[in-house]
Amino acid sequence: METYTLNGPYHLHPTPAGAFYAVTHTERDLPAQFLQRLLREAEAPLMNTELLQEWTHLQDAAALEFLFRLQEAGLVQGLAEPLRAPAAGLEAALPALLGPLSSEGRALLADPNGLCLGGAGYAEEPSAELAALAADVAALQGRHAALLNRHFRLGQQGWGIVAAGGYSELGFWPLHFGPAHFILVVSGEPRLNQQAFTQLAWALGVHYAR
């Protein structure tokens, strides 16, 4: 039987893959709930067994194994030094966080009502129109979720307008943080596997934790 221990004090923080898992999995399984709990903290917490058990509602070895599995899957990382969430308010932070997520430097965040919450690289008029389109795409995805999930086994983590070569020209990713829903719109090649995406998820988490 394998045993697990916490190797020294470290601050626990989601990786970009972990942040993506946290905000795109609507099933609200334990990993997604735990990752969202991390993203509600203004500072990456110093992890210990007691806190791990409190957040997971698992005991002793089960809690430690849970954390090991998250690390093994590349969803969390241990930091020697604490890391703090973006200091600016959500609206002020969005342009700097969204731009790096696109190969063209153009991205925005919309709410389900089609309101543009913030963006980078787009003029005001197309931003408003894209936000409205994003809300329609999210509603379409919701209506057909059963078909895509059950019959085609598609995780439907994002929708896209693709060129003839198959690469994305415009992508839409529904994001969820607790009861709050958003749609991330990205022009060109999406670049989500980086710290800017983690910071975006973190900014949402801290804002809506309040």
Side-chain angles (χ1 to χ4, degrees), residues 70-140:
L70 288 186
Q71 290 177 305
E72 189 177 45
L75 300 180
V76 294
Q77 57 187 321
L79 306 174
E81 300 294 330
L83 188 65
R84 291 196 61 81
L90 180 62
E91 184 176 349
L94 282 176
L97 297 176
L98 291 167
L101 304 181
S102 159
S103 62
E104 299 176 0
R106 297 191 296 164
L108 64 81
L109 191 70
D111 73 5
N113 297 316
L115 175 66
C116 180
L117 303 177
Y122 297 115
E124 183 176 351
E125 184 175 348
S127 291
E129 294 174 353
L130 276 177
L133 173 60
D136 289 343
V137 169
L140 177 67

Short mmCIF file of all heavy atoms in Angstrom, two decimals, residues 70-140:
data_model
loop_
_atom_site.label_atom_id
_atom_site.label_comp_id
_atom_site.label_asym_id
_atom_site.label_seq_id
_atom_site.Cartn_x
_atom_site.Cartn_y
_atom_site.Cartn_z
N LEU A 70 -3.57 15.11 -8.08
CA LEU A 70 -3.62 16.42 -8.75
C LEU A 70 -2.25 16.82 -9.28
O LEU A 70 -2.11 17.34 -10.39
CB LEU A 70 -4.13 17.49 -7.79
CG LEU A 70 -5.61 17.49 -7.41
CD1 LEU A 70 -5.93 18.71 -6.56
CD2 LEU A 70 -6.50 17.46 -8.64
N GLN A 71 -1.21 16.60 -8.47
CA GLN A 71 0.15 16.91 -8.91
C GLN A 71 0.56 16.03 -10.07
O GLN A 71 1.18 16.49 -11.03
CB GLN A 71 1.12 16.75 -7.74
CG GLN A 71 0.96 17.80 -6.66
CD GLN A 71 1.89 17.56 -5.48
OE1 GLN A 71 1.89 16.48 -4.88
NE2 GLN A 71 2.67 18.56 -5.14
N GLU A 72 0.24 14.75 -9.99
CA GLU A 72 0.58 13.80 -11.04
C GLU A 72 -0.06 14.18 -12.36
O GLU A 72 0.53 14.01 -13.44
CB GLU A 72 0.14 12.40 -10.62
CG GLU A 72 0.62 11.28 -11.52
CD GLU A 72 0.20 9.92 -11.00
OE1 GLU A 72 -0.98 9.77 -10.60
OE2 GLU A 72 1.04 9.01 -10.98
N ALA A 73 -1.28 14.73 -12.29
CA ALA A 73 -1.98 15.17 -13.50
C ALA A 73 -1.53 16.54 -13.99
O ALA A 73 -2.00 17.01 -15.03
CB ALA A 73 -3.49 15.20 -13.22
N GLY A 74 -0.64 17.19 -13.26
CA GLY A 74 -0.14 18.50 -13.67
C GLY A 74 -1.12 19.63 -13.43
O GLY A 74 -1.05 20.67 -14.11
N LEU A 75 -2.02 19.46 -12.43
CA LEU A 75 -3.04 20.48 -12.18
C LEU A 75 -2.66 21.45 -11.08
O LEU A 75 -3.23 22.54 -11.00
CB LEU A 75 -4.37 19.81 -11.83
CG LEU A 75 -4.95 18.88 -12.91
CD1 LEU A 75 -6.27 18.29 -12.44
CD2 LEU A 75 -5.12 19.61 -14.23
N VAL A 76 -1.72 21.07 -10.20
CA VAL A 76 -1.27 21.96 -9.12
C VAL A 76 0.25 21.92 -9.05
O VAL A 76 0.90 20.98 -9.53
CB VAL A 76 -1.86 21.58 -7.74
CG1 VAL A 76 -3.36 21.79 -7.72
CG2 VAL A 76 -1.49 20.16 -7.37
N GLN A 77 0.80 22.96 -8.42
CA GLN A 77 2.25 23.05 -8.24
C GLN A 77 2.53 23.63 -6.86
O GLN A 77 1.72 24.37 -6.31
CB GLN A 77 2.87 23.94 -9.31
CG GLN A 77 2.28 25.35 -9.34
CD GLN A 77 2.78 26.17 -10.50
OE1 GLN A 77 3.95 26.11 -10.86
NE2 GLN A 77 1.88 26.95 -11.11
N GLY A 78 3.68 23.25 -6.31
CA GLY A 78 4.11 23.78 -5.04
C GLY A 78 5.13 24.89 -5.25
O GLY A 78 6.08 24.73 -6.01
N LEU A 79 4.92 26.02 -4.59
CA LEU A 79 5.80 27.18 -4.73
C LEU A 79 6.54 27.42 -3.41
O LEU A 79 5.93 27.36 -2.34
CB LEU A 79 4.99 28.42 -5.09
CG LEU A 79 4.09 28.33 -6.32
CD1 LEU A 79 3.25 29.58 -6.46
CD2 LEU A 79 4.91 28.08 -7.58
N ALA A 80 7.82 27.71 -3.52
CA ALA A 80 8.60 27.98 -2.31
C ALA A 80 8.21 29.31 -1.69
O ALA A 80 8.27 29.48 -0.47
CB ALA A 80 10.09 27.96 -2.65
N GLU A 81 7.81 30.27 -2.52
CA GLU A 81 7.43 31.60 -2.05
C GLU A 81 5.96 31.86 -2.36
O GLU A 81 5.43 31.36 -3.35
CB GLU A 81 8.30 32.67 -2.72
CG GLU A 81 9.78 32.53 -2.44
CD GLU A 81 10.13 32.75 -0.98
OE1 GLU A 81 9.40 33.53 -0.32
OE2 GLU A 81 11.11 32.16 -0.51
N PRO A 82 5.27 32.64 -1.53
CA PRO A 82 3.86 32.94 -1.81
C PRO A 82 3.70 33.77 -3.07
O PRO A 82 4.56 34.57 -3.42
CB PRO A 82 3.41 33.71 -0.56
CG PRO A 82 4.67 34.29 -0.01
CD PRO A 82 5.75 33.29 -0.30
N LEU A 83 2.60 33.56 -3.75
CA LEU A 83 2.26 34.31 -4.95
C LEU A 83 0.92 34.97 -4.72
O LEU A 83 0.00 34.35 -4.19
CB LEU A 83 2.19 33.35 -6.14
CG LEU A 83 2.03 33.95 -7.54
CD1 LEU A 83 3.27 34.77 -7.90
CD2 LEU A 83 1.83 32.83 -8.57
N ARG A 84 0.80 36.23 -5.11
CA ARG A 84 -0.44 36.96 -4.86
C ARG A 84 -1.23 37.15 -6.16
O ARG A 84 -0.66 37.24 -7.24
CB ARG A 84 -0.15 38.32 -4.23
CG ARG A 84 0.39 38.22 -2.80
CD ARG A 84 0.30 39.56 -2.09
NE ARG A 84 -1.07 40.05 -1.97
CZ ARG A 84 -1.92 39.64 -1.03
NH1 ARG A 84 -1.55 38.74 -0.14
NH2 ARG A 84 -3.14 40.14 -0.98
N ALA A 85 -2.54 37.21 -6.01
CA ALA A 85 -3.43 37.44 -7.14
C ALA A 85 -3.19 38.83 -7.72
O ALA A 85 -2.61 39.70 -7.05
CB ALA A 85 -4.88 37.30 -6.68
N PRO A 86 -3.63 39.07 -8.97
CA PRO A 86 -3.49 40.41 -9.56
C PRO A 86 -4.03 41.49 -8.62
O PRO A 86 -5.14 41.36 -8.10
CB PRO A 86 -4.30 40.32 -10.85
CG PRO A 86 -4.26 38.87 -11.21
CD PRO A 86 -4.26 38.13 -9.90
N ALA A 87 -3.23 42.53 -8.41
CA ALA A 87 -3.59 43.55 -7.43
C ALA A 87 -4.73 44.45 -7.92
O ALA A 87 -5.53 44.94 -7.14
CB ALA A 87 -2.37 44.40 -7.09
N ALA A 88 -4.79 44.68 -9.24
CA ALA A 88 -5.81 45.57 -9.78
C ALA A 88 -7.18 44.92 -9.69
O ALA A 88 -7.32 43.70 -9.61
CB ALA A 88 -5.48 45.91 -11.23
N GLY A 89 -8.22 45.73 -9.70
CA GLY A 89 -9.58 45.21 -9.77
C GLY A 89 -9.78 44.45 -11.06
O GLY A 89 -9.00 44.58 -12.01
N LEU A 90 -10.84 43.66 -11.13
CA LEU A 90 -11.05 42.79 -12.28
C LEU A 90 -11.09 43.56 -13.59
O LEU A 90 -10.40 43.21 -14.54
CB LEU A 90 -12.36 42.01 -12.09
CG LEU A 90 -12.73 41.04 -13.22
CD1 LEU A 90 -11.66 39.97 -13.37
CD2 LEU A 90 -14.08 40.42 -12.96
N GLU A 91 -11.88 44.62 -13.65
CA GLU A 91 -12.02 45.38 -14.90
C GLU A 91 -10.69 45.97 -15.34
O GLU A 91 -10.34 45.92 -16.52
CB GLU A 91 -13.06 46.49 -14.72
CG GLU A 91 -13.34 47.26 -15.99
CD GLU A 91 -14.44 48.29 -15.82
OE1 GLU A 91 -15.13 48.27 -14.77
OE2 GLU A 91 -14.61 49.14 -16.72
N ALA A 92 -9.92 46.50 -14.40
CA ALA A 92 -8.63 47.10 -14.74
C ALA A 92 -7.61 46.05 -15.14
O ALA A 92 -6.72 46.32 -15.97
CB ALA A 92 -8.10 47.90 -13.55
N ALA A 93 -7.71 44.84 -14.59
CA ALA A 93 -6.72 43.80 -14.86
C ALA A 93 -6.95 43.08 -16.18
O ALA A 93 -6.01 42.52 -16.77
CB ALA A 93 -6.72 42.78 -13.72
N LEU A 94 -8.18 43.07 -16.68
CA LEU A 94 -8.52 42.23 -17.83
C LEU A 94 -7.69 42.49 -19.09
O LEU A 94 -7.23 41.53 -19.73
CB LEU A 94 -10.01 42.34 -18.14
CG LEU A 94 -10.93 41.53 -17.23
CD1 LEU A 94 -12.40 41.79 -17.57
CD2 LEU A 94 -10.62 40.05 -17.30
N PRO A 95 -7.50 43.73 -19.55
CA PRO A 95 -6.74 43.92 -20.79
C PRO A 95 -5.37 43.27 -20.78
O PRO A 95 -4.97 42.60 -21.75
CB PRO A 95 -6.65 45.44 -20.92
CG PRO A 95 -7.86 45.94 -20.19
CD PRO A 95 -8.03 45.01 -19.03
N ALA A 96 -4.62 43.43 -19.70
CA ALA A 96 -3.28 42.86 -19.62
C ALA A 96 -3.31 41.34 -19.55
O ALA A 96 -2.38 40.66 -20.02
CB ALA A 96 -2.54 43.42 -18.41
N LEU A 97 -4.37 40.77 -18.97
CA LEU A 97 -4.47 39.31 -18.84
C LEU A 97 -4.98 38.67 -20.12
O LEU A 97 -4.60 37.53 -20.45
CB LEU A 97 -5.41 38.96 -17.69
CG LEU A 97 -4.97 39.41 -16.29
CD1 LEU A 97 -6.05 39.07 -15.27
CD2 LEU A 97 -3.65 38.77 -15.91
N LEU A 98 -5.83 39.36 -20.86
CA LEU A 98 -6.46 38.77 -22.05
C LEU A 98 -5.56 38.80 -23.27
O LEU A 98 -5.55 37.83 -24.05
CB LEU A 98 -7.78 39.50 -22.34
CG LEU A 98 -8.90 39.27 -21.34
CD1 LEU A 98 -10.03 40.27 -21.56
CD2 LEU A 98 -9.42 37.85 -21.44
N GLY A 99 -4.82 39.87 -23.47
CA GLY A 99 -3.99 40.00 -24.67
C GLY A 99 -3.06 38.82 -24.92
O GLY A 99 -2.99 38.29 -26.04
N PRO A 100 -2.31 38.34 -23.92
CA PRO A 100 -1.38 37.23 -24.14
C PRO A 100 -2.05 35.90 -24.50
O PRO A 100 -1.37 34.97 -24.94
CB PRO A 100 -0.65 37.11 -22.79
CG PRO A 100 -0.80 38.44 -22.15
CD PRO A 100 -2.15 38.92 -22.58
N LEU A 101 -3.36 35.79 -24.33
CA LEU A 101 -4.05 34.53 -24.60
C LEU A 101 -4.32 34.32 -26.09
O LEU A 101 -4.80 33.27 -26.49
CB LEU A 101 -5.37 34.48 -23.84
CG LEU A 101 -5.27 34.66 -22.32
CD1 LEU A 101 -6.64 34.55 -21.68
CD2 LEU A 101 -4.31 33.65 -21.71
N SER A 102 -4.00 35.31 -26.91
CA SER A 102 -4.24 35.26 -28.35
C SER A 102 -2.95 35.48 -29.12
O SER A 102 -2.14 36.34 -28.75
CB SER A 102 -5.27 36.33 -28.74
OG SER A 102 -5.20 36.65 -30.11
N SER A 103 -2.76 34.73 -30.19
CA SER A 103 -1.58 34.93 -31.05
C SER A 103 -1.61 36.29 -31.72
O SER A 103 -0.58 36.80 -32.16
CB SER A 103 -1.52 33.83 -32.12
OG SER A 103 -2.66 33.88 -32.96
N GLU A 104 -2.80 36.90 -31.78
CA GLU A 104 -2.95 38.21 -32.40
C GLU A 104 -3.08 39.32 -31.37
O GLU A 104 -3.24 40.49 -31.72
CB GLU A 104 -4.20 38.22 -33.30
CG GLU A 104 -4.14 37.20 -34.43
CD GLU A 104 -5.43 37.16 -35.25
OE1 GLU A 104 -6.36 37.94 -34.93
OE2 GLU A 104 -5.49 36.37 -36.21
N GLY A 105 -3.04 38.96 -30.08
CA GLY A 105 -3.20 39.96 -29.03
C GLY A 105 -4.62 40.48 -28.91
O GLY A 105 -4.83 41.57 -28.36
N ARG A 106 -5.60 39.69 -29.39
CA ARG A 106 -7.00 40.15 -29.37
C ARG A 106 -7.86 39.11 -28.66
O ARG A 106 -7.99 37.97 -29.11
CB ARG A 106 -7.51 40.38 -30.79
CG ARG A 106 -6.78 41.48 -31.53
CD ARG A 106 -7.49 41.86 -32.81
NE ARG A 106 -7.51 40.73 -33.75
CZ ARG A 106 -8.32 40.67 -34.81
NH1 ARG A 106 -9.19 41.65 -35.04
NH2 ARG A 106 -8.27 39.64 -35.63
N ALA A 107 -8.45 39.50 -27.55
CA ALA A 107 -9.32 38.62 -26.78
C ALA A 107 -10.24 39.47 -25.91
O ALA A 107 -9.92 40.63 -25.62
CB ALA A 107 -8.50 37.68 -25.90
N LEU A 108 -11.36 38.90 -25.51
CA LEU A 108 -12.27 39.60 -24.61
C LEU A 108 -13.01 38.61 -23.74
O LEU A 108 -13.05 37.40 -24.02
CB LEU A 108 -13.25 40.50 -25.39
CG LEU A 108 -14.27 39.89 -26.35
CD1 LEU A 108 -15.51 39.35 -25.62
CD2 LEU A 108 -14.72 40.94 -27.37
N LEU A 109 -13.61 39.13 -22.69
CA LEU A 109 -14.41 38.34 -21.77
C LEU A 109 -15.81 38.91 -21.76
O LEU A 109 -15.99 40.12 -21.55
CB LEU A 109 -13.81 38.36 -20.38
CG LEU A 109 -14.40 37.36 -19.38
CD1 LEU A 109 -14.01 35.93 -19.75
CD2 LEU A 109 -13.93 37.68 -17.96
N ALA A 110 -16.81 38.04 -21.99
CA ALA A 110 -18.20 38.47 -22.03
C ALA A 110 -19.00 37.73 -20.96
O ALA A 110 -18.59 36.67 -20.48
CB ALA A 110 -18.81 38.19 -23.40
N ASP A 111 -20.15 38.30 -20.59
CA ASP A 111 -21.04 37.60 -19.67
C ASP A 111 -22.17 36.97 -20.47
O ASP A 111 -22.30 37.20 -21.68
CB ASP A 111 -21.54 38.54 -18.57
CG ASP A 111 -22.58 39.54 -19.04
OD1 ASP A 111 -23.01 39.49 -20.22
OD2 ASP A 111 -22.98 40.39 -18.24
N PRO A 112 -23.01 36.11 -19.86
CA PRO A 112 -24.06 35.41 -20.63
C PRO A 112 -25.11 36.32 -21.24
O PRO A 112 -25.87 35.89 -22.10
CB PRO A 112 -24.69 34.49 -19.57
CG PRO A 112 -23.68 34.34 -18.51
CD PRO A 112 -22.95 35.65 -18.47
N ASN A 113 -25.16 37.58 -20.81
CA ASN A 113 -26.11 38.53 -21.38
C ASN A 113 -25.53 39.29 -22.57
O ASN A 113 -26.20 40.16 -23.12
CB ASN A 113 -26.56 39.52 -20.31
CG ASN A 113 -27.31 38.85 -19.18
OD1 ASN A 113 -28.16 38.01 -19.42
ND2 ASN A 113 -26.97 39.20 -17.95
N GLY A 114 -24.29 38.96 -22.95
CA GLY A 114 -23.68 39.61 -24.09
C GLY A 114 -22.99 40.92 -23.77
O GLY A 114 -22.69 41.71 -24.67
N LEU A 115 -22.69 41.15 -22.48
CA LEU A 115 -21.99 42.36 -22.09
C LEU A 115 -20.49 42.09 -22.09
O LEU A 115 -20.03 41.10 -21.52
CB LEU A 115 -22.43 42.79 -20.69
CG LEU A 115 -21.69 43.99 -20.08
CD1 LEU A 115 -21.98 45.26 -20.87
CD2 LEU A 115 -22.08 44.16 -18.61
N CYS A 116 -19.72 42.96 -22.73
CA CYS A 116 -18.27 42.84 -22.74
C CYS A 116 -17.73 43.36 -21.41
O CYS A 116 -17.87 44.53 -21.09
CB CYS A 116 -17.67 43.62 -23.91
SG CYS A 116 -15.86 43.53 -23.98
N LEU A 117 -17.08 42.47 -20.65
CA LEU A 117 -16.53 42.85 -19.35
C LEU A 117 -15.16 43.47 -19.47
O LEU A 117 -14.72 44.21 -18.58
CB LEU A 117 -16.46 41.62 -18.44
CG LEU A 117 -17.78 40.90 -18.20
CD1 LEU A 117 -17.56 39.66 -17.34
CD2 LEU A 117 -18.79 41.83 -17.55
N GLY A 118 -14.46 43.19 -20.55
CA GLY A 118 -13.12 43.74 -20.78
C GLY A 118 -12.49 43.04 -21.96
O GLY A 118 -12.89 41.92 -22.33
N GLY A 119 -11.53 43.71 -22.58
CA GLY A 119 -10.91 43.11 -23.75
C GLY A 119 -9.57 43.74 -24.07
O GLY A 119 -9.14 44.72 -23.44
N ALA A 120 -8.93 43.18 -25.08
CA ALA A 120 -7.64 43.67 -25.55
C ALA A 120 -7.59 43.52 -27.07
O ALA A 120 -7.94 42.46 -27.60
CB ALA A 120 -6.50 42.89 -24.91
N GLY A 121 -7.21 44.58 -27.76
CA GLY A 121 -6.97 44.50 -29.19
C GLY A 121 -8.15 44.77 -30.08
O GLY A 121 -8.00 44.91 -31.30
N TYR A 122 -9.35 44.84 -29.54
CA TYR A 122 -10.54 45.11 -30.34
C TYR A 122 -11.00 46.55 -30.12
O TYR A 122 -10.90 47.09 -29.02
CB TYR A 122 -11.70 44.19 -29.95
CG TYR A 122 -11.49 42.73 -30.16
CD1 TYR A 122 -11.45 41.85 -29.08
CD2 TYR A 122 -11.35 42.19 -31.44
CE1 TYR A 122 -11.29 40.50 -29.27
CE2 TYR A 122 -11.17 40.84 -31.64
CZ TYR A 122 -11.14 39.99 -30.54
OH TYR A 122 -10.97 38.65 -30.73
N ALA A 123 -11.56 47.14 -31.18
CA ALA A 123 -12.21 48.44 -31.04
C ALA A 123 -13.53 48.26 -30.29
O ALA A 123 -14.03 47.15 -30.11
CB ALA A 123 -12.45 49.07 -32.40
N GLU A 124 -14.12 49.36 -29.86
CA GLU A 124 -15.31 49.30 -29.00
C GLU A 124 -16.49 48.64 -29.70
O GLU A 124 -17.16 47.77 -29.11
CB GLU A 124 -15.69 50.71 -28.56
CG GLU A 124 -16.89 50.74 -27.61
CD GLU A 124 -17.18 52.14 -27.11
OE1 GLU A 124 -16.37 53.06 -27.35
OE2 GLU A 124 -18.24 52.31 -26.47
N GLU A 125 -16.76 49.00 -30.96
CA GLU A 125 -17.94 48.46 -31.63
C GLU A 125 -17.84 46.95 -31.87
O GLU A 125 -18.77 46.21 -31.51
CB GLU A 125 -18.18 49.19 -32.96
CG GLU A 125 -19.45 48.73 -33.66
CD GLU A 125 -19.75 49.54 -34.91
OE1 GLU A 125 -19.11 50.59 -35.11
OE2 GLU A 125 -20.62 49.10 -35.69
N PRO A 126 -16.74 46.43 -32.46
CA PRO A 126 -16.66 44.97 -32.61
C PRO A 126 -16.61 44.23 -31.28
O PRO A 126 -17.06 43.08 -31.19
CB PRO A 126 -15.38 44.75 -33.42
CG PRO A 126 -14.62 46.01 -33.33
CD PRO A 126 -15.62 47.10 -33.13
N SER A 127 -16.09 44.86 -30.24
CA SER A 127 -16.10 44.22 -28.92
C SER A 127 -17.53 43.95 -28.48
O SER A 127 -17.85 42.86 -27.99
CB SER A 127 -15.41 45.11 -27.89
OG SER A 127 -14.03 45.20 -28.12
N ALA A 128 -18.40 44.94 -28.63
CA ALA A 128 -19.80 44.77 -28.23
C ALA A 128 -20.48 43.71 -29.06
O ALA A 128 -21.25 42.89 -28.54
CB ALA A 128 -20.52 46.11 -28.36
N GLU A 129 -20.18 43.68 -30.36
CA GLU A 129 -20.82 42.70 -31.24
C GLU A 129 -20.30 41.29 -30.96
O GLU A 129 -21.08 40.32 -30.96
CB GLU A 129 -20.57 43.08 -32.70
CG GLU A 129 -21.27 44.38 -33.10
CD GLU A 129 -20.89 44.83 -34.50
OE1 GLU A 129 -19.99 44.20 -35.10
OE2 GLU A 129 -21.50 45.80 -34.99
N LEU A 130 -19.01 41.16 -30.70
CA LEU A 130 -18.44 39.84 -30.37
C LEU A 130 -18.99 39.32 -29.04
O LEU A 130 -19.22 38.12 -28.89
CB LEU A 130 -16.92 39.93 -30.31
CG LEU A 130 -16.17 39.81 -31.63
CD1 LEU A 130 -14.67 40.00 -31.39
CD2 LEU A 130 -16.41 38.44 -32.27
N ALA A 131 -19.17 40.21 -28.09
CA ALA A 131 -19.72 39.80 -26.79
C ALA A 131 -21.15 39.27 -26.96
O ALA A 131 -21.53 38.27 -26.34
CB ALA A 131 -19.70 40.97 -25.81
N ALA A 132 -21.93 39.92 -27.81
CA ALA A 132 -23.29 39.45 -28.09
C ALA A 132 -23.26 38.10 -28.79
O ALA A 132 -24.05 37.19 -28.47
CB ALA A 132 -24.05 40.47 -28.93
N LEU A 133 -22.33 37.94 -29.74
CA LEU A 133 -22.17 36.66 -30.43
C LEU A 133 -21.75 35.58 -29.44
O LEU A 133 -22.25 34.44 -29.50
CB LEU A 133 -21.14 36.79 -31.55
CG LEU A 133 -20.74 35.50 -32.26
CD1 LEU A 133 -21.94 34.83 -32.91
CD2 LEU A 133 -19.65 35.79 -33.30
N ALA A 134 -20.85 35.90 -28.53
CA ALA A 134 -20.38 34.94 -27.54
C ALA A 134 -21.54 34.42 -26.69
O ALA A 134 -21.61 33.23 -26.38
CB ALA A 134 -19.31 35.57 -26.66
N ALA A 135 -22.44 35.30 -26.30
CA ALA A 135 -23.59 34.88 -25.50
C ALA A 135 -24.48 33.93 -26.29
O ALA A 135 -25.00 32.94 -25.75
CB ALA A 135 -24.39 36.12 -25.06
N ASP A 136 -24.65 34.19 -27.58
CA ASP A 136 -25.44 33.29 -28.43
C ASP A 136 -24.78 31.92 -28.54
O ASP A 136 -25.45 30.89 -28.51
CB ASP A 136 -25.63 33.89 -29.82
CG ASP A 136 -26.57 35.09 -29.83
OD1 ASP A 136 -27.32 35.26 -28.85
OD2 ASP A 136 -26.54 35.86 -30.82
N VAL A 137 -23.46 31.91 -28.71
CA VAL A 137 -22.72 30.65 -28.82
C VAL A 137 -22.85 29.84 -27.52
O VAL A 137 -23.07 28.63 -27.54
CB VAL A 137 -21.23 30.91 -29.13
CG1 VAL A 137 -20.41 29.63 -28.99
CG2 VAL A 137 -21.08 31.47 -30.54
N ALA A 138 -22.73 30.52 -26.38
CA ALA A 138 -22.85 29.84 -25.09
C ALA A 138 -24.25 29.25 -24.92
O ALA A 138 -24.41 28.13 -24.40
CB ALA A 138 -22.54 30.81 -23.96
N ALA A 139 -25.28 30.00 -25.35
CA ALA A 139 -26.64 29.48 -25.25
C ALA A 139 -26.83 28.27 -26.16
O ALA A 139 -27.47 27.28 -25.77
CB ALA A 139 -27.64 30.59 -25.61
N LEU A 140 -26.26 28.32 -27.37
CA LEU A 140 -26.34 27.20 -28.31
C LEU A 140 -25.65 25.97 -27.72
O LEU A 140 -26.18 24.85 -27.78
CB LEU A 140 -25.69 27.60 -29.62
CG LEU A 140 -25.61 26.51 -30.71
CD1 LEU A 140 -27.01 26.15 -31.20
CD2 LEU A 140 -24.74 26.99 -31.87
#
